[in-house]
Amino acid sequence: MMKKLIMLLTICMMCLLAVSASAAEKNDEAPPINWEISMMPKPTAEEIEAARWSIVLENTMGVYAYDMDSLYFPEEKNGVVNKDLVNVIVKTVFTDKELLKKMNKTYAEKLAKKEKVQYCEMLMQFNVADKTYGVKQMDVYGSKGTKLETKINNGELIPVPEKTFAEAMLEICLQAVNNTSEN
């Protein structure tokens, strides 16, 4: 009788273990509870996009900014990084009314209804040793986010003119080079 009772208890324990293991597997599939607590509302896509850019210069033509996370040193074919060359994505939001009129006429066929030319993004390359720069690619956008044109250049570098946006960007690129040299 005692053997039957021990055997019955053993079978019951195995069944309980199997049921609890099955329940644990089902709980693993459920999404975890989001315990994130914040007094601040989550930023919108527009706010995240705006935070990406750091304003460098403003003049009569527009507002110039660069993408802080876009600074990088391009790799050459043999895998070596050339720290004299720095690539960066920059943005110009046009404010000059005459320039905007001309650009709206130029891109009139590509603009959606009630859309106007708003900004351009450029991939620029700076040679900090030679103090030269070039625009590798330029994309022009409308106010509704429509890409109006893409221009790709051969990458020819020209001297950086004084007191320009290019000179301000050269200084930022020099700081990036100095910061990576220290690390």
Side-chain angles (χ1 to χ4, degrees):
M1 174 85 163
M2 190 65 135
K3 286 183 180 180
K4 288 183 181 180
L5 187 58
I6 292 174
M7 207 184 257
L8 183 63
L9 284 174
T10 306
I11 291 173
C12 286
M13 292 293 281
M14 287 182 176
C15 288
L16 284 174
L17 285 173
V19 168
S20 67
S22 174
E25 285 178 12
K26 288 181 183 174
N27 284 342
D28 288 345
E29 295 170 10
I33 296 172
N34 184 0
W35 289 99
E36 181 180 337
I37 297 174
S38 176
M39 296 298 289
M40 300 296 294
K42 288 207 180 266
T44 63
E46 291 83 17
E47 290 169 334
I48 292 169
E49 175 66 14
R52 176 180 151 203
W53 300 97
S54 178
I55 295 176
V56 176
L57 182 83
E58 292 183 45
N59 63 20
T60 56
M61 189 172 136
V63 178
Y64 300 86
Y66 78 101
D67 180 346
M68 296 174 282
D69 295 329
S70 72
L71 282 164
Y72 69 96
F73 303 102
E75 282 188 22
E76 295 182 357
K77 290 178 183 156
N78 57 5
V80 175
V81 173
N82 181 353
K83 291 206 176 175
D84 286 340
L85 294 178
V86 181
N87 286 359
V88 62
I89 296 174
V90 299
K91 181 178 191 176
T92 303
V93 179
F94 302 111
T95 56
D96 182 85
K97 293 186 186 322
E98 288 302 312
L99 175 64
L100 283 167
K101 270 187 195 177
K102 289 177 187 175
M103 292 180 82
N104 285 327
K105 283 182 185 177
T106 302
Y107 296 109
E109 292 178 15
K110 296 180 180 180
L111 289 166
K113 195 172 188 175
K114 295 188 179 183
E115 183 176 29
K116 298 182 184 305
V117 174
Q118 186 172 30
Y119 67 94
C120 73
E121 283 186 19
M122 297 174 281
L123 172 59
M124 297 179 78
Q125 185 171 70
F126 290 86
N127 186 320
V128 294
D130 296 343
K131 296 187 177 182
T132 57
Y133 81 106
V135 177
K136 296 179 72 127
Q137 181 174 331
M138 181 178 79
D139 299 323
V140 180
Y141 291 90
S143 55
K144 295 182 179 179
T146 308
K147 187 185 281 190
L148 304 170
E149 181 178 25
T150 296
K151 290 182 181 178
I152 297 175
N153 296 326
N154 63 2
E156 180 183 332
L157 301 179
I158 60 173
V160 172
E162 290 184 7
K163 297 182 175 133
T164 63
F165 168 68
E167 184 180 49
M169 280 307 307
L170 177 64
E171 290 300 318
I172 291 168
C173 292
L174 280 167
Q175 287 176 358
V177 169
N178 290 337
N179 288 343
T180 58
S181 297
E182 293 171 4
N183 294 336

